[in-house]
Amino acid sequence: MRLKLLAAALTAAAATLTSTTSAQAGHSWGSYHWARTANPFTLKLGDNLASGWKSYLGTASNDWSQSSVLNTTVVTGQSNNNCRATSGRVEVCNRTYGNNGWLGLASISANGTHITSGTVKVNDTYFNTATYNSPSWKTLVMCQEVGHTFGLAHQDEGQTNPNLGTCMDYTNNPDGPPSNLHPNAHDFTQLESIYAHLDSTSTVDHSAAVPTVGNSKASWGKRVARSAHGDTYVRDFGKGSKVITFVIWAG
Ligand SMILES: [Zn+2]
Ligand SMILES: [Zn+2]
């Protein structure tokens, strides 16, 4: 009995350690970053969105541009319907992707640790339902998925604990209090940490072939982080080329 309790305590300690580590975006997933030769750098967010979504991308772009290390600018999208990744930038898309379980999906392709492209998809199959058809849910999910394309992970993957006041936190109630609709100071600190060094080359606006994954779990590779509201997958394409997919599940 005593041994069992100890084992349980050790497991709990290990779980705490794991969640602490995964909360430190800059040090786990955060080793993935856009290569650039100077800060702040400007990342293009390609708008492939229907009119009803455009303002949410505008809000996310403004929010993240408060960072001292990066700016984002919304430009005309290049991938219309299929949201295929475009090298050197991020493509943002909405569509009724079906009852596949996910509310939002962010993928980054990386060469070594350098991000070479990003995609954000929001699933209208769920956003058209009463539960998610609200400015709050749309604001949170767009903010979080765009945040992933910089290399940021979640601050916290619990569902029942209180809101942390950042869109990089899972929640059952985006409005809180505190509200999880926008980034918080901790996210900006994480970005400063991820982008503290400079590179001799740039992947921003760089043109090269990039690997891409599809809309189904089967194409995302190995699951490397798991929680009730979202998971992270990595698919290895070989020769240092990977795609990391962050999914936020509906309901
Ligand atoms: Zn670098
Ligand atoms: Zn996420």
Side-chain angles (χ1 to χ4, degrees):
M1 189 58 203
R2 208 170 217 177
L3 199 63
K4 218 172 183 180
L5 278 173
L6 181 64
L10 278 172
T11 307
T16 307
L17 193 65
T18 308
S19 68
T20 305
T21 308
S22 69
Q24 289 174 357
H27 312 290
S28 50
W29 298 116
S31 60
Y32 294 106
H33 59 277
W34 292 89
R36 73 274 167 255
T37 56
N39 284 339
F41 66 99
T42 299
L43 190 60
K44 288 177 180 155
L45 307 177
D47 175 356
N48 303 278
L49 296 165
S51 58
W53 272 104
K54 288 181 189 294
S55 69
Y56 297 99
L57 179 59
T59 298
S61 172
N62 284 334
D63 281 353
W64 287 114
S65 294
Q66 302 305 308
S67 166
S68 62
V69 293
L70 65 84
N71 291 305
T72 61
T73 179
V74 177
V75 299
T76 304
Q78 292 184 342
S79 56
N80 297 320
N81 270 332
N82 60 16
C83 214
R84 208 177 166 75
T86 306
S87 173
R89 53 188 263 172
V90 174
E91 297 291 347
V92 183
C93 313
N94 75 292
R95 195 169 166 182
T96 48
Y97 289 100
N99 288 301
N100 48 29
W102 55 261
L103 192 56
L105 201 63
S107 290
I108 50 175
S109 65
N111 199 337
T113 57
H114 288 157
I115 300 172
T116 51
S117 70
T119 63
V120 166
K121 298 173 189 172
V122 288
N123 190 353
D124 283 333
T125 303
Y126 298 103
F127 282 106
N128 286 340
T129 67
T131 307
Y132 294 110
N133 192 0
S134 71
S136 297
W137 272 110
K138 290 176 178 176
T139 303
L140 179 148
V141 173
M142 184 61 80
C143 176
Q144 181 174 130
E145 305 306 354
V146 169
H148 284 314
T149 68
F150 310 137
L152 282 177
H154 307 113
Q155 278 197 29
D156 165 58
E157 314 216 306
Q159 77 218 57
T160 50
N161 45 3
N163 283 4
L164 295 178
T166 167
C167 66
M168 300 312 289
D169 175 30
Y170 292 130
T171 183
N172 289 326
N173 177 16
D175 291 311
S179 135
N180 273 6
L181 302 187
H182 305 282
N184 70 1
H186 182 67
D187 296 310
F188 295 122
T189 305
Q190 290 285 12
L191 284 173
E192 283 166 24
S193 160
I194 295 171
Y195 290 99
H197 73 287
L198 294 176
D199 296 291
S200 56
T201 56
S202 179
T203 52
V204 179
D205 263 334
H206 182 76
S207 178
V210 287
T212 195
V213 297
N215 297 327
S216 73
K217 204 151 95 168
S219 72
W220 303 339
K222 191 180 171 207
R223 184 170 60 198
V224 295
R226 183 179 191 182
S227 76
H229 281 240
D231 296 320
T232 306
Y233 295 78
V234 174
R235 178 157 164 201
D236 196 337
F237 286 82
K239 295 181 181 170
S241 175
K242 291 188 173 102
V243 173
I244 301 95
T245 298
F246 302 87
V247 55
I248 180 165
W249 300 115

